[in-house]
Amino acid sequence: MKKKIENTIHKLVSDLQDKQNAEGSWSFCFENSVMTDAYMIILLRSLDMHDEELVGRLVNRLWKLQTREGTWKLFEDEKEGNLSSTIEAYFALLYSGTVKDDDKRLEKTKHFIEKKGGLNDAHSITKFMLAINGQYDWKHLLPIPIEFLMIPKQFPLNFWDLSSYARAHLAPLLLLKDQQFSIKMNGIPQIKHLSRRSHEVNYSDRELKLFSKINEGLQSLINIPSHLHQQGRQFAQQYMLQRIEPDGTYLSYFSTTFYMIYALLALGYKKGDPIIIKAVQGLKKMACETEKGIHLQNSPSTVWDTALISHAIQEAGVNAGDHSIEKAVEYLLKKQHFRYGDWAMESGIKPGGWGFSESNTIHPDVDDSTAALRAITYSAAESPLIRQSWDRGIEWVIGMQNRDGGWPAFEKNKTKPLLTSFPMDGAEAAAIDPSTPDLTGRALEFLGSRAGLNKDHPQVKRGVQWLKLMQKDDGSWYGRWGVCYIYGTWAAITGMKATGVPSSDKHIQRAKAWLERIQHKDGGWGESCYSDQEKKYVPLPFSTPSQTAWALESLICIEDKPTPAIDLGIMALLDLINGTSDDPSKTYPTGVGLPGHFYIHYHSYRWIWPLITLSRYKEKYG
């Protein structure tokens, strides 16, 4: 087995070095289901932009992803299909003009949509798209007035309390709702009939409490002149325009840019306005190739992939002086942030983080920052200039710790529980930016293994204490940005171990027992995206390379010598790496954007995590 491990490590490193771009980066596809592809077709058609080649290629990919049942899914084991994805694909195919309403391939699709409750039961994000295109009534959406944006920061509940991701979407959506905006043109498919006839919106007690709090805030503004409404509209417009990145996109996301374009149209911008033209060009640059054809990424993962890959190949023995690492480090240093963004309002620290996409200059996040810092650590030891960047990065990461001791994704202390009742699907995950076990574990792993801070350091100590409090009864931790309990447990174990928590610690022993308990008979690990929706571990019928690697790395850092679970797992991992490309384990999404709605197949993960795990095994056990 030793020889096979060495050969596999060598092959993975060689494959990755061959895939490196001339500028030092790696660009792998960040693939979600069909939302972005469908929305791109809809956007091009509603803007009268005649890019027939792109529309045709996107239509081809949609057809290839349709199931035999006529539906579209978010992940392989999703039963029947996903209602929102199916509506999005169905509407986009009709909008493309290349598909007729009576196309035989769509008969089952219509039946599925009606059976599942029609447009009324789709995700909020889908309904907003439909409302813009005149297929859903705005009165059923977002019962929040645009004046909400003007509630002062010192008030107990205001716009700035929301997560940056929620604010980025809410600014254009409030504008669109305020204007009741819908595109008026020929050629828009009419699918309103797929709604239920009567539609009552019933709000929960928590939602009503939220509305009451917002109303209190609005009452405090009563004495302000009546142009408050206009101020709210101007604020929303400025909020978007000030966050346009150099490539023309709004915060480097497809979804925010898509809604910004329509919000600008609602404000009176013309379809040919330079801001809109540049935004569409920025979105087109997000295209990547997949086995099923062209795909529009929601947010290209170049910085993330480059940071993780350059770290992984260094862990596999490639020297920091190697040309591939020097080029990667040079690229990453150019992508470090020097501009202040919204994150600075709460943190009071200097810029120094990294973002996810290469066009991202003002929206850094903790996970990308620790990934980039890991990748430049060895180089920083050799170069005072790189060391300065490394020091700035560490200062930024430590400065982003939440009051509770954990780490968030984008901004500190955006944790008001009432906001999880915001009247949009997915608000419990997206409206706030709380500490999460995966981000906290990853931050601790970096601070322990690379920055030399141990469990006695005050901030590390608080992080470890918070993690221990978050452990589930079965011994696992929930991971917010990966699937899901395996991911969170891996991050927590490796984070605590890196800061000096002993393997004998009861939290680590419980986690180890859980990982061994859920190991598949083939030796691997596999977890379904359903875990994320049911908030409990749901196994996949097959193992995946990244989840197997995460579970194994956790066990390797606990055990002084290989155990039967580890040896069986390593053999399974080697089989998964060398398996055929059409194996479903290679394409199963193991990243999460929005629980229940947005899952990510990172094309880079089948190289990165197995390479790190095999290198750890070889280094520790010889």
Side-chain angles (χ1 to χ4, degrees):
M1 188 160 83
K2 184 183 172 187
K3 194 75 189 146
K4 195 171 181 184
I5 289 171
E6 284 179 352
N7 289 344
T8 305
I9 289 172
H10 180 75
K11 185 179 184 318
L12 291 172
V13 169
S14 170
D15 283 354
L16 286 170
Q17 286 178 321
D18 288 346
K19 292 176 189 297
Q20 190 175 23
N21 301 322
E23 63 173 357
S25 66
W26 277 270
S27 347
F28 282 86
C29 200
F30 172 89
E31 185 180 355
N32 63 279
S33 177
V34 301
M35 184 185 91
T36 44
D37 299 339
Y39 285 23
M40 191 66 184
I41 294 169
I42 293 160
L43 184 66
L44 292 171
R45 286 294 183 244
S46 56
L47 292 174
D48 292 319
M49 289 184 174
H50 301 290
D51 190 337
E52 298 313 308
E53 189 203 350
L54 179 56
V55 169
R57 292 174 71 194
L58 290 169
V59 164
N60 285 342
R61 180 171 189 267
L62 289 181
W63 282 130
K64 284 180 183 169
L65 289 170
Q66 190 186 31
T67 67
R68 283 185 192 145
E69 295 76 36
T71 65
W72 281 263
K73 292 183 174 188
L74 291 175
F75 46 89
E76 176 89 11
D77 55 320
E78 189 171 33
K79 296 170 188 76
E80 294 185 274
N82 182 270
L83 176 62
S84 297
S85 297
T86 301
I87 291 169
E88 288 162 350
Y90 175 66
F91 188 61
L93 287 169
L94 294 178
Y95 216 152
S96 74
T98 64
V99 179
K100 295 281 180 283
D101 188 32
D102 59 359
D103 191 300
K104 288 263 188 288
R105 293 170 291 183
L106 294 177
E107 279 174 14
K108 287 181 182 172
T109 307
K110 273 184 281 195
H111 178 65
F112 172 80
I113 293 171
E114 286 166 337
K115 185 181 86 170
K116 287 291 180 185
L119 309 185
N120 299 332
D121 285 356
H123 195 279
S124 301
I125 289 287
T126 310
K127 290 179 191 167
F128 291 127
M129 177 276 289
L130 292 169
I132 287 165
N133 288 282
Q135 303 308 302
Y136 199 78
D137 199 326
W138 276 110
K139 76 179 178 198
H140 300 315
L141 293 166
L142 205 56
I144 306 282
I146 201 159
E147 289 88 344
F148 168 65
L149 300 175
M150 304 313 297
I151 295 175
K153 273 191 201 158
Q154 59 270 32
F155 197 77
L157 205 65
N158 62 80
F159 177 67
W160 296 100
D161 288 331
L162 289 156
S163 72
S164 56
Y165 177 86
R167 294 196 308 269
H169 286 84
L170 195 58
L173 290 172
L174 281 176
L175 269 169
L176 288 160
K177 161 79 186 207
D178 181 62
Q179 299 291 294
Q180 305 274 302
F181 177 79
S182 67
I183 290 276
K184 304 282 188 287
M185 61 185 287
N186 296 328
I188 298 179
Q190 295 303 308
I191 65 166
K192 272 185 182 166
H193 60 281
L194 295 176
S195 295
R196 283 199 209 105
R197 287 288 164 252
S198 62
H199 182 53
E200 289 282 319
V201 181
N202 295 311
Y203 295 110
S204 68
D205 290 346
R206 277 178 63 85
E207 284 174 322
L208 293 171
K209 187 179 172 189
L210 175 85
F211 300 157
S212 156
K213 275 280 175 215
I214 289 172
N215 279 329
E216 277 178 42
L218 293 172
Q219 291 305 313
S220 72
L221 302 174
I222 288 254
N223 299 327
I224 296 174
S226 58
H227 54 260
L228 192 64
H229 186 109
Q230 185 56 32
Q231 283 182 331
R233 291 175 61 192
Q234 283 171 345
F235 175 87
Q237 180 181 356
Q238 286 308 307
Y239 187 86
M240 296 185 300
L241 296 179
Q242 286 163 4
R243 287 158 185 77
I244 291 179
E245 290 286 11
D247 67 345
T249 64
Y250 169 33
L251 283 181
S252 305
Y253 292 124
F254 182 100
S255 55
T256 48
T257 307
F258 175 85
Y259 288 112
M260 174 189 77
I261 290 168
Y262 289 110
L264 294 176
L265 293 177
L267 288 167
Y269 284 64
K270 297 285 177 269
K271 290 178 179 180
D273 189 277
I275 294 174
I276 290 176
I277 299 292
K278 191 170 182 190
V280 175
Q281 286 167 346
L283 294 181
K284 284 184 179 180
K285 286 181 191 154
M286 292 182 172
C288 68
E289 285 297 336
T290 71
E291 285 181 10
K292 299 269 170 77
I294 198 165
H295 172 57
L296 264 294
Q297 300 168 93
N298 191 52
S299 187
S301 54
T302 314
V303 174
W304 177 241
D305 286 331
T306 304
L308 292 176
I309 290 166
S310 47
H311 163 65
I313 62 179
Q314 287 178 85
E315 291 303 289
V318 175
N319 193 284
D322 187 271
H323 181 67
S324 63
I325 301 300
E326 286 183 341
K327 290 297 288 178
V329 169
E330 193 182 316
Y331 170 84
L332 288 170
L333 293 175
K334 284 183 194 152
K335 296 298 165 189
Q336 189 172 24
H337 289 195
F338 289 87
R339 294 172 64 197
Y340 284 91
D342 290 358
W343 55 268
M345 292 179 195
E346 189 79 28
S347 65
I349 46 177
K350 295 199 300 272
W354 278 262
F356 185 73
S357 305
E358 54 179 7
S359 63
N360 183 334
T361 65
I362 52 169
H363 195 224
D365 67 274
V366 170
D367 218 9
D368 276 284
S369 300
T370 59
L373 287 165
R374 273 185 199 87
I376 68 171
T377 294
Y378 296 128
S379 309
E382 303 295 320
S383 157
L385 263 179
I386 299 173
R387 178 62 194 252
Q388 281 176 19
S389 290
W390 193 78
D391 286 341
R392 271 184 52 230
I394 287 185
E395 198 179 317
W396 189 84
V397 167
I398 290 177
M400 290 297 288
Q401 189 175 25
N402 272 338
R403 277 189 288 265
D404 60 15
W407 270 266
F410 299 102
E411 286 181 27
K412 281 177 75 162
N413 302 325
K414 301 293 178 193
T415 56
K416 290 190 176 168
L418 189 56
L419 285 167
T420 59
S421 302
F422 212 81
M424 286 170 73
D425 294 322
E428 63 280 0
I432 57 174
D433 188 1
S435 302
T436 68
D438 45 329
L439 296 174
T440 303
R442 302 270 300 140
L444 290 173
E445 196 285 330
F446 165 72
L447 294 171
S449 69
R450 292 289 177 269
L453 305 183
N454 67 23
K455 64 183 191 307
D456 298 324
H457 180 279
Q459 282 171 284
V460 170
K461 189 176 189 175
R462 286 174 56 228
V464 170
Q465 284 169 341
W466 181 85
L467 261 186
K468 288 181 174 181
L469 284 172
M470 290 298 113
Q471 190 173 26
K472 301 289 178 192
D473 292 341
D474 63 6
S476 68
W477 279 268
Y478 169 69
R480 159 68 178 87
W481 299 95
V483 180
C484 206
Y485 290 92
I486 294 173
Y487 185 70
T489 304
W490 158 74
I493 290 174
T494 53
M496 289 196 293
K497 284 293 294 170
T499 62
V501 176
S503 295
S504 57
D505 182 275
K506 66 179 181 185
H507 298 275
I508 287 180
Q509 284 300 310
R510 280 169 58 210
K512 176 195 143 186
W514 179 77
L515 284 171
E516 289 177 347
R517 203 160 57 243
I518 63 160
Q519 187 174 19
H520 286 174
K521 285 194 171 68
D522 68 1
W525 281 262
E527 182 176 359
S528 170
C529 293
Y530 273 124
S531 279
D532 191 39
Q533 296 171 36
E534 297 183 19
K535 294 295 175 271
K536 63 173 195 202
Y537 170 73
V538 178
L540 256 182
F542 51 84
S543 302
T544 71
S546 50
Q547 290 165 333
T548 299
W550 294 329
L552 273 171
E553 192 190 347
S554 308
L555 295 176
I556 290 165
C557 81
I558 294 168
E559 303 288 4
D560 290 332
K561 51 180 188 283
T563 61
I566 290 173
D567 282 338
L568 191 60
I570 288 287
M571 289 191 287
L573 184 60
L574 291 168
D575 288 345
L576 285 165
I577 294 166
N578 300 313
T580 57
S581 61
D582 59 353
D583 181 343
S585 73
K586 291 249 172 50
T587 56
Y588 193 80
T590 55
V592 180
L594 192 58
H597 188 64
F598 195 89
Y599 296 96
I600 305 135
H601 163 39
Y602 285 95
H603 287 216
S604 58
Y605 276 18
R606 51 186 270 215
W607 278 277
I608 293 165
W609 306 115
L611 177 57
I612 290 173
T613 294
L614 292 174
S615 304
R616 291 267 183 277
Y617 182 92
K618 183 186 163 196
E619 179 193 9
K620 188 162 186 178
Y621 305 134

